[in-house]
Amino acid sequence: MKKNKYFYPAKFKWEETKVLVEFIDFDCAFTYGNSFEDAYYMAQDVLFNILLEYKKKLPAPTLNYMKYEVDENEIISMVELDVI
């Protein structure tokens, strides 16, 4: 069984009680979690649903994501998704 891996950068922003997530390469791809771990899991879920929507028209992931400026309460991390 073939397994595909996808990697896309997302911005994680800590707010009062939530961690907001925004994907760099997709418009309108947002989610949040109660912790970083929860937000990362939710980001994987969003990425999975994006894959279903975009199918063969996926944009190339932004690999030079470190060029984006972030505030002190933000980080950019690659979100990994394994799809069987």
Side-chain angles (χ1 to χ4, degrees):
M1 190 175 286
K2 186 177 178 184
K3 192 173 193 179
N4 294 316
K5 284 191 177 200
Y6 297 91
F7 299 88
Y8 280 92
K11 184 187 294 186
F12 292 80
K13 180 178 182 176
W14 278 259
E15 294 211 338
E16 292 177 15
T17 60
K18 304 285 184 217
V19 180
L20 306 178
V21 183
E22 174 184 355
F23 279 92
I24 293 173
D25 297 308
F26 299 98
D27 295 333
C28 302
F30 305 95
T31 191
Y32 71 93
N34 296 319
S35 65
F36 176 77
E37 292 80 9
D38 186 38
Y40 189 89
Y41 175 80
M42 296 302 292
Q44 288 178 311
D45 188 54
V46 167
L47 185 54
F48 178 78
N49 286 304
I50 286 171
L51 294 175
L52 294 174
E53 182 179 328
Y54 280 74
K55 297 192 180 178
K56 300 200 186 265
K57 297 179 184 177
L58 286 171
T62 298
L63 299 178
N64 61 345
Y65 60 88
M66 296 305 290
K67 72 178 182 177
Y68 289 88
E69 291 189 29
V70 294
D71 293 333
E72 64 182 45
N73 63 333
E74 298 175 331
I75 65 166
I76 295 178
S77 177
M78 292 298 269
V79 175
E80 176 184 355
L81 180 65
D82 292 335
V83 180
I84 297 176

